[in-house]
Amino acid sequence: PPAVTAKVTYTGYLDSRQRLQCETTPATRIADTLGVADGRLALCLVGGGQDGGPLAEAFLGADFPRGMTGVVLTGPFMPPDVRRRLHTLAEKNRAVKVVDFLTEPAPLLERADCVVAMGGYNSVCDVLSFRKRALIVPRGQPRREQLIRAERLGALGAFDVLDPAQLTAGAVGEWLAGTHQPHALPRVDLGGLGRLPGLLQ
């Protein structure tokens, strides 16, 4: 409605790489701690984690290319029973790890070769900012916000999109085995952080 539109000022997306300026722990140390210092790294992001179980399970069950390690960040709101199930799955596969919490995931994002994620705002900003080859599997219910964001940015060529109804370990594994490079980022404005101080003032 016009009354709401009049209140809106477009800022642009927020460039997640700027968080690295505040991070004192280098990516290499985080990678060493997690045991993923060598080889290629695939990172799975499920946002807060409350409904990220299906994506995390599909990721952990995928066939990883030789020399690639998979890491799942579970999110602070993932139900304990789902988290336990993920750890059980990871114990059966030496190519994957489950991390319950990182104070700042930006260094790990910088280290990652590719990302599999849900379509939340923060995860999408991370993918766009770090220019990672990415597969986005958006939530379709009960809200369509993630689906709309993924479809629009996918149409611009920012990343690959998988319909959540098509989510399987096989589909994730097939994507991981692909060799295509990260997409170009046409018409995606990442300058929001630079504009916010002036707008707030």
Side-chain angles (χ1 to χ4, degrees):
V4 175
T5 302
K7 300 178 182 180
V8 175
T9 299
Y10 181 71
T11 64
Y13 282 84
L14 308 184
D15 190 342
S16 301
R17 292 171 297 181
Q18 294 191 35
R19 300 202 314 262
L20 290 170
Q21 299 172 17
C22 305
E23 179 56 36
T24 57
T25 306
T28 51
R29 189 183 307 169
I30 293 175
D32 284 340
T33 301
L34 296 177
V36 293
D38 300 321
R40 291 184 293 159
L41 174 63
L43 185 60
C44 180
L45 305 174
V46 294
Q50 59 267 41
D51 58 354
L55 177 58
E57 288 189 34
F59 181 84
L60 292 173
D63 288 329
F64 283 76
R66 186 180 182 87
M68 177 181 283
T69 301
V71 173
V72 174
L73 294 182
T74 62
F77 305 120
M78 179 170 282
D81 60 321
V82 177
R83 193 187 307 270
R84 286 192 295 269
R85 188 162 65 245
L86 297 182
H87 278 283
T88 299
L89 289 172
E91 289 170 3
K92 301 174 182 177
N93 185 350
R94 296 179 62 186
V96 297
K97 299 179 184 297
V98 175
V99 178
D100 293 332
F101 179 76
L102 277 181
T103 304
E104 174 53 82
L108 201 58
L109 274 155
E110 185 179 39
R111 162 71 177 83
D113 294 280
C114 61
V115 176
V116 176
M118 295 184 68
Y121 181 83
N122 291 326
S123 296
V124 167
C125 278
D126 287 342
V127 165
L128 296 177
S129 299
F130 286 95
R131 301 194 185 302
K132 296 299 178 180
R133 174 182 169 234
L135 176 67
I136 301 298
V137 186
R139 175 197 302 126
Q141 298 292 335
R143 295 173 298 279
R144 293 177 52 80
E145 165 239 343
Q146 289 195 11
L147 189 61
I148 292 168
R149 179 183 298 113
E151 288 176 345
R152 293 295 296 127
L153 286 167
L156 290 174
F159 41 62
D160 296 316
V161 180
L162 179 65
D163 186 322
Q166 305 299 318
L167 175 62
T168 63
V172 174
E174 183 177 345
W175 183 85
L176 290 170
T179 57
H180 50 281
Q181 295 301 307
H183 292 288
L185 295 178
R187 303 193 302 277
V188 177
D189 183 349
L190 294 171
L193 284 175
R195 296 187 186 96
L196 277 172
L199 291 170
L200 291 169
Q201 195 171 44

